[in-house]
Amino acid sequence: MSRGTALSGARVLITGGTRGIGRLVAAGAVERGAEVTVWARNPELGAQVAEELGVTFIAVDVSDAAAVAEAARETGPIDVLVNNAGVIAGKPFVQLTEEEIRRTYEINALAPYWTTRAFLPGMIERNRGLVVSLASAAGLIGTTRMTDYSGTKHALVGFTEALRAELRAQRSAVRTLVVCPFYISTGMFDGVQTRVPWLLPILKPEDVATKTLDAIERGAAKLVLPWSVNLMPVMRVLPVPLFDAVIDLLGVNHTMDRFKGH
């Protein structure tokens, strides 16, 4: 395992850091001694978070590459980038509008490219830094009502893996971390359910935030929550009909039946 990143004294940037997991990670990073900057679109909520947590807030639409580049110049060099901003429509494929599909891909898949492109060159030059991507268990397995969301999270998992390979080939000390949690009990996933909570529990946001910060400090390259989600990719060795039968038995394709979201 590679050497971790001490958060004490580190400069940390978190996208989508005004609510949910992003806000909890920001609060936890501050408690561990980090200097935290939060990016989000809502200036009123951002000002509130800045006052309550003692972080710097910059209003920016991370789907806008030019706006990201400008905000990056204002932010300055950082040690840890946390690509956390995300959206979900939670609709069957045929009900998704073109606007919803584009928005999901712009925020979940493309925005991490723009933010990483803005900060990675400086990290490489200094030969230190960490790019964290908040993906999802949906980036390891596709489920119903998630054709857009799951597609973007698969993209984020692949992006992080390829970036890790590039940095390793360059013998760079800059690292990556991808986080793949099952559903989290935040407003974003209001209404989701699980058939087998002993195996696939709905996660508490505080636990996910804490474990993400722990993974940053210990130098992990991948964090999957809960442990059982690691079995999903392994099961792909099964014939497709058998794989599908196991997933159906676990009730995975009914987890979004009562989805409400924000």
Side-chain angles (χ1 to χ4, degrees), residues 152-234:
T152 62
K153 295 304 183 178
H154 272 77
L156 194 53
V157 170
F159 164 70
T160 306
E161 183 173 301
L163 181 60
R164 184 178 77 243
E166 283 191 12
L167 293 168
R168 188 172 67 254
Q170 297 168 12
R171 299 185 182 280
S172 173
V174 179
R175 301 182 301 104
T176 65
L177 165 63
V178 64
V179 182
C180 298
F182 191 58
Y183 295 114
I184 308 170
S185 59
T186 63
M188 183 175 182
F189 289 104
D190 188 26
V192 299
Q193 54 192 347
T194 177
R195 179 181 293 176
V196 283
W198 60 270
L199 184 66
L200 294 170
I202 303 298
L203 302 171
K204 296 180 180 179
E206 296 81 6
D207 290 343
V208 175
T210 297
K211 290 178 180 178
T212 297
L213 292 167
D214 290 344
I216 289 172
E217 294 201 307
R218 73 170 182 268
K222 188 175 185 180
L223 175 64
V224 178
L225 300 169
W227 66 269
S228 54
V229 172
N230 284 297
L231 301 176
M232 299 298 180
V234 176

Side-chain angles (χ1 to χ4, degrees), residues 100-114:
E100 287 171 332
I101 294 170
R102 289 187 181 278
R103 184 64 176 163
T104 302
Y105 271 84
E106 286 171 353
I107 296 294
N108 295 4
L110 289 177
Y113 278 80
W114 311 146

Side-chain angles (χ1 to χ4, degrees), residues 42-151:
N42 189 318
E44 290 80 14
L45 185 56
Q48 177 183 338
V49 169
E51 181 178 357
E52 292 179 357
L53 301 185
V55 302
T56 300
F57 171 76
I58 298 177
V60 56
D61 179 356
V62 292
S63 69
D64 184 333
V68 166
E70 181 179 348
R73 287 190 289 270
E74 181 179 350
T75 301
I78 61 171
D79 301 300
V80 181
L81 167 63
V82 182
N83 289 311
N84 168 75
V87 295
I88 182 172
K91 296 180 180 179
F93 175 71
V94 295
Q95 295 180 17
L96 289 168
T97 66
E98 178 181 343
E99 180 182 1
E100 287 171 332
I101 294 170
R102 289 187 181 278
R103 184 64 176 163
T104 302
Y105 271 84
E106 286 171 353
I107 296 294
N108 295 4
L110 289 177
Y113 278 80
W114 311 146
T115 55
T116 305
R117 187 174 67 167
F119 291 105
L120 185 60
M123 292 182 178
I124 292 175
E125 182 179 349
R126 296 186 298 275
N127 200 35
R128 60 183 173 86
L130 173 65
V131 178
V132 183
S133 295
L134 268 293
S136 169
L140 304 175
I141 180 174
T143 61
T144 56
R145 296 181 65 167
M146 281 195 171
T147 53
D148 57 338
Y149 183 83
S150 184

Side-chain angles (χ1 to χ4, degrees), residues 32-49:
R32 299 185 189 211
E35 179 183 341
V36 177
T37 298
V38 165
W39 286 5
R41 297 185 67 186
N42 189 318
E44 290 80 14
L45 185 56
Q48 177 183 338
V49 169

